[in-house]
């Protein structure tokens, strides 16, 4: 690690240090970058890993005359933020809190002389919300922007809004190793792009698919151990998640030499443990760092010249339907592979072994999907409401938040009482000011006494950083004492302007219910399966001691990929009766009449429910007619329109309306598809149900009259005129037309009654020719035609010859187009 404290220099007169770092690649583009920042409000900097953009450039920008005020440097991860701040302070011969400081969740090191603050994402959003003008800030730097985290996209949108409406002098620098420049240039067409070459040493990239004869963790360990035996130096091993890190570490333990240290590195580790992984190995040792993609960032891990890339990552994907997040293991993008390989060339030539076929690597996506497209957006939406933005279209986004996820976020905020009529409620304002996940913010905002506030703060700290593995019983975990929970809970109490009292697990059910009412669960069997109040399924391991309880509340759930039921990570047993006394608003009463198909009757019930969970129910003896009709409509929607008695007249009216919409689209016709009719039962069917109190009586409802409720007077007149139910033939007979969904309507008529009709009759304002089914005197089909004129002139002659012999008493004229029509035999002809 570079030791700079030995330079006895002024922070802004660091000639010895500047000579030392003048070889950094980003130094070559510094004049161009300074000119760009002077001329433009936004600048894009593309600089590969090792160029010095995070650990040297911000100090040079402090000396820039056009920057009036502090610089905020956003780092997406806490470990990287702290590491960058310490390196920058070290370059100045100081410690964090002097010229350079940092802010992150649970820890702040800034002082009166701090001019450069390294902050994590949530902190930057809170700073913007608390002071939209960013008073005293001259430049904001978004580092590692290629990660496209949700908070980084939100910060960019808010900062652009600040520049446009409040601070035209605020500067914004977006930098990354692999910027998606095409997208950024489309959003910021006037922003100059500055590109710096990297200073990486050459990296030999190798490709090796895992052995199919071994389990994946064993195969990864074998490949890693072999590379360690063949090469010198420390090794960085990229794995998708913590479980894989632990399993591969066990496999490696017996395969590496005694001078190799195994060091895990992932986000949930305490910062002190993470720092052990990034420090140089002791003399005489080398190390294997087993890391998630946390090591792809600006984090520098000392001594690495070997990289093994599993080519996998674990990402969170939000399911808007269930409101839950599931973890998915997937192939990394080509950009991530390049980032990972680059870690081997920071200090000297290195080797990267990708544990996949080269062809697969080349087929990988160029860039990973941004978080904003696959995340729970409730926190983002709460931030937007606090910002005064009711429509996401009011801000400029690299990727617009998906509508389905926004709808789910809105529904949750309404459930939590945070918004009403597109405005923050008083509860929502308290929640927004806390700067937390909306559910945890609702829990804290709902804590009123000192003991409740202390308990809520402790629960929030615990749920933000839950213990890994082991006990799922929140009551048992609640009693533990961990320094990080203690520090975080104190920070939250301070944010609430509360000293707090004594935390008490007995207060937890009510507090959790204020935020996680939809995750109250009731047991449904003895195998650890539960139903949630939102209707979804959840599960515990069958031998989990919590599964003996009928009622639970599960604030932490994870949607698995193998099971439709979510896994309960943390849950608390409930005394449901006691909870309902404390929270009576959880319970809603619903009277319903339901269709009992087995007995062919309607039954009435009164239910008391938490969401979809029935707590109590009782039979009602005499339901009202309104309740009976509601039950009938619900039953029809569930079972379909086929449960109704569709007479031929009703079927024909429905077909006429369908044909009208197709043949006469310029007129407004009602939609009579199954889905539309089921959705509008109250409009067309309910008026016909007066006096209908049983399923038997329902079968007698006149559906022809019911469908007529969809038509106004002018529509009825137009339908009867353009698509009549009957057609009057030349004899004056009114004969019913047979309408079909895909074919023209059919007129079945005895041939003698069509004498004198020279051409095929037309309907639908002359657009559709009828299909004529010409019948014998015995009502049997003789000819089917849509061109009557051609029939009279052509094949009628053959019909005439045959019919004269078979029906000699009937007339068979030589010129039927001009003959008189008749219903009778020759005897009655004039």
């Amino acid at each position: 690690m570079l030791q700079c404290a030995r330079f006895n220099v002024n922070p802004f007169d660091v000639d010895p240090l500047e000579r030392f770092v003048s070889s950094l690649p980003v130094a070559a583009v510094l004049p161009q970058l300074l000119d760009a920042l002077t001329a433009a409000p936004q600048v894009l900097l593309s600089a590969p890993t090792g160029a010095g953009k995070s650990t040297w450039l911000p100090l040079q920008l402090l000396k820039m005359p056009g920057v009036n005020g502090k610089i905020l440097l956003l780092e997406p991860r806490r470990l990287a933020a702290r590491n960058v701040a310490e390196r920058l302070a070290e370059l100045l011969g100081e410690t964090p809190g002097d010229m350079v400081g940092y802010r992150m969740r649970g820890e702040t090191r800034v002082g009166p002389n701090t001019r450069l603050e390294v902050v994590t994402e949530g902190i930057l959003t809170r700073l913007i919300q608390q002071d939209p003008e960013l008073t005293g800030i001259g430049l904001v730097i978004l580092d590692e922007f290629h990660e496209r985290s949700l908070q980084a996209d939100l910060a960019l949108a808010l900062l652009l809004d600040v520049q446009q409406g409040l601070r035209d002098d605020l500067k914004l620098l977006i930098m990354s190793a692999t910027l998606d420049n095409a997208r950024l240039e489309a959003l910021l067409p006037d922003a100059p792009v500055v590109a710096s070459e990297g200073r990486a040493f050459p990296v030999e990239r190798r490709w090796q698919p895992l052995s199919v004869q071994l389990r994946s963790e064993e195969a990864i360990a074998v490949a890693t151990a072999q590379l360690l035996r063949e090469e010198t130096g420390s090794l960085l091993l990229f794995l998708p998640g913590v479980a894989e890190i632990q399993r591969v570490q066990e496999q490696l333990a017996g395969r590496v030499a005694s001078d190799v240290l195994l060091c895990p590195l992932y986000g949930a580790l305490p910062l002190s443990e993470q720092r052990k992984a990034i420090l140089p190995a002791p003399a005489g040792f080398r190390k294997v760092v087993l890391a998630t993609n946390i090591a792809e960032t600006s984090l520098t891990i000392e001594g690495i010249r070997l990289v093994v890339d599993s080519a996998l990552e674990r990402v969170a994907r939000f399911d808007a339907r269930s409101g839950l997040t599931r973890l998915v293991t997937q192939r990394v993008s080509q950009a991530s592979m390049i980032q990972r390989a680059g870690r081997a060339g920071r200090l000297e030539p290195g080797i990267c072994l990708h544990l996949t076929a080269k062809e697969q690597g080349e087929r990988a996506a160029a860039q990973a999907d941004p978080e904003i497209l696959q995340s729970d957006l409730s926190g983002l939406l709460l931030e937007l409401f606090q910002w005064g933005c009711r429509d996401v279209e009011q801000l400029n986004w690299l990727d617009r938040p998906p509508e389905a996820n926004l709808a789910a976020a809105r529904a949750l905020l309404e459930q939590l009482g945070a918004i009403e009529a597109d405005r923050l409620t008083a509860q929502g304002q308290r929640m927004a000011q806390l700067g937390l996940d909306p559910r945890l913010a609702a829990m804290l905002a709902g804590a009123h006494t000192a003991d409740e506030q202390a308990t809520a703060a402790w629960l929030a700290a615990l749920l933000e950083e839950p213990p890994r593995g082991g006990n799922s019983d929140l009551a048992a975990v609640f009693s533990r004492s961990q320094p990080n929970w203690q520090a975080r809970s104190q920070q939250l109490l301070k944010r609430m302007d509360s000293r707090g009292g004594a935390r008490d697990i007995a207060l937890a059910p009510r507090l959790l219910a204020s935020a996680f009412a939809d995750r109250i669960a009731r047991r449904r069997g003895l195998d650890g399966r539960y139903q949630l109040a939102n209707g979804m399924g959840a599960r515990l391991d069958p031998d989990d001691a919590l599964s003996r309880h009928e009622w639970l509340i599960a604030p932490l759930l994870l949607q698995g990929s193998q099971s439709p039921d979510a896994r309960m990570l943390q849950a608390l047993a409930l005394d449901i009766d006691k909870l309902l006394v404390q929270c009576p608003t959880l319970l809603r009463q619903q009277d319903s009449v339901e269709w009992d198909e087995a007995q062919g009757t309607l039954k009435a019930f009164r239910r008391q429910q938490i969401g979809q969970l029935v707590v109590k129910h009782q039979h009602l003896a005499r339901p009202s007619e309104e309740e009976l009709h509601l039950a009938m409509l619900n039953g029809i929607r569930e079972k379909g329109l086929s449960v109704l008695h569709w007479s031929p007249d009703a079927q024909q009216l429905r077909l006429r309306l369908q044909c009208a919409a197709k043949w006469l689209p310029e007129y407004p016709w009602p939609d009579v598809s199954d889905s539309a009719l089921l959705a509008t039962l109250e409009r067309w069917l309910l008026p016909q149900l007066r006096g209908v109190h049983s399923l038997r009586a329902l079968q007698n409802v006149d559906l022809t009259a019911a469908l007529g409720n969809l038509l106004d007077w002018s529509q009825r007149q137009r339908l009867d005129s353009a698509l009549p139910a009957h057609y009057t033939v030349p004899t004056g007979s009114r004969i019913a037309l047979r309408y079909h969904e895909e074919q023209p309507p059919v007129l079945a008529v005895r041939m003698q009654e069509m004498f004198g009709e020279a051409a095929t009759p037309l309907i639908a304002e002359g657009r559709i020719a009828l299909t004529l089914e010409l019948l014998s005197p015995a009502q049997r089909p003789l000819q089917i035609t849509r061109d009557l004129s051609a029939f009279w002139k052509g094949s009628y002659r053959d019909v005439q010859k045959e019919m004269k012999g078979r029906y000699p008493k009937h007339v068979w004229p030589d010129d039927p187009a001009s003959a008189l029509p008749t219903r009778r035999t020759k005897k009655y002809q004039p």
Side-chain angles (χ1 to χ4, degrees), residues 42-162:
Q42 308 105 18
V43 177
L44 309 179
L45 172 62
S46 178
T49 298
K53 64 181 181 302
S54 305
T55 54
W56 177 75
L57 177 62
L59 296 180
Q60 311 311 308
L61 297 179
L62 275 178
K63 297 182 284 186
M64 178 180 169
V67 175
N68 300 316
K70 291 183 178 180
I71 294 177
L72 294 181
L73 171 60
L74 173 70
E75 290 293 338
R77 301 176 190 268
R78 289 191 296 162
L79 180 60
R82 186 173 182 177
N83 195 48
V84 166
E86 289 179 347
R87 283 176 175 265
L88 291 170
E90 186 179 36
L91 287 172
L92 297 175
E94 299 176 350
T95 58
D98 295 330
M99 184 74 71
V100 177
Y102 62 82
R103 296 176 191 262
M104 64 182 69
R105 189 179 71 197
E107 188 174 2
T108 299
R109 295 284 297 277
V110 296
N113 298 321
T114 300
R115 288 195 55 207
L116 171 60
E117 289 189 20
V118 185
V119 298
T120 50
E121 293 172 332
I123 300 297
L124 177 58
T125 304
R126 286 196 64 222
L127 291 174
I128 298 173
Q129 292 280 23
Q130 291 171 352
D131 180 9
E133 293 187 0
L134 289 177
T135 306
I137 306 298
L139 169 66
V140 179
I141 305 173
L142 305 182
D143 194 14
E144 301 297 339
F145 194 78
H146 68 276
E147 292 193 15
R148 291 296 309 280
S149 68
L150 176 65
Q151 285 290 330
D153 274 19
L154 173 60
L156 176 60
L158 295 181
L159 287 167
L160 292 176
D161 204 38
V162 169

Side-chain angles (χ1 to χ4, degrees), residues 761-773:
L762 302 176
I763 64 167
E765 299 182 354
R767 303 177 194 184
I768 302 296
L770 295 179
T771 297
L772 297 177
E773 190 176 287

Side-chain angles (χ1 to χ4, degrees), residues 671-713:
D671 185 353
V672 290
S673 64
D674 279 11
S675 58
L677 288 179
L678 289 172
T680 57
L681 289 172
E682 288 81 2
R683 178 183 172 191
W684 65 275
L685 183 60
L686 185 60
Q688 303 303 122
L689 297 185
R690 186 169 301 164
V692 175
H693 298 157
S694 67
L695 297 182
R696 178 175 297 178
L698 181 62
Q699 295 298 303
N700 297 323
V701 170
D702 184 352
L703 296 185
T704 304
L707 287 176
N709 293 323
L710 294 171
L711 300 168
D712 58 29
W713 184 86

Side-chain angles (χ1 to χ4, degrees), residues 645-660 663 672 703-704 707-708 711 719-720 723-727 735-747 763 770:
H645 175 62
W646 289 88
S647 66
D649 286 347
Q651 293 177 15
Q652 281 295 299
L653 175 55
R654 188 178 177 193
L655 285 168
R656 289 166 64 201
L657 288 168
Q658 290 174 327
C659 292
W663 299 335
V672 290
L703 296 185
T704 304
L707 287 176
L711 300 168
L719 182 69
D720 290 341
L723 279 81
H726 295 77
Y727 182 79
I735 300 176
L737 296 177
R738 297 200 316 267
Y739 285 84
H740 300 272
E741 191 171 353
E742 300 295 336
Q743 299 174 354
V746 174
L747 173 63
I763 64 167
L770 295 179

Side-chain angles (χ1 to χ4, degrees), residues 588-661:
R588 61 183 177 87
Q589 180 174 293
Q590 181 176 346
D591 292 347
S592 64
V593 181
E594 297 174 9
W595 196 315
D596 188 333
E597 188 172 18
Q599 298 184 17
T601 60
L602 294 170
K603 293 184 177 180
F605 298 94
R606 171 165 291 170
R607 293 186 175 91
Q608 292 182 316
Q609 297 180 211
I610 301 174
Q612 296 189 32
L613 300 177
V614 177
V615 181
K616 299 176 182 178
H617 77 280
Q618 64 185 101
H619 288 282
L620 294 178
R622 302 181 65 179
S624 66
E625 183 176 83
E626 181 182 357
E627 291 168 331
L628 284 170
H629 291 168
L630 179 60
M632 289 179 182
L633 299 187
N634 288 338
I636 294 168
R637 286 197 174 99
E638 179 182 345
K639 301 175 187 305
L641 293 172
S642 61
V643 301
L644 298 172
H645 175 62
W646 289 88
S647 66
D649 286 347
Q651 293 177 15
Q652 281 295 299
L653 175 55
R654 188 178 177 193
L655 285 168
R656 289 166 64 201
L657 288 168
Q658 290 174 327
C659 292

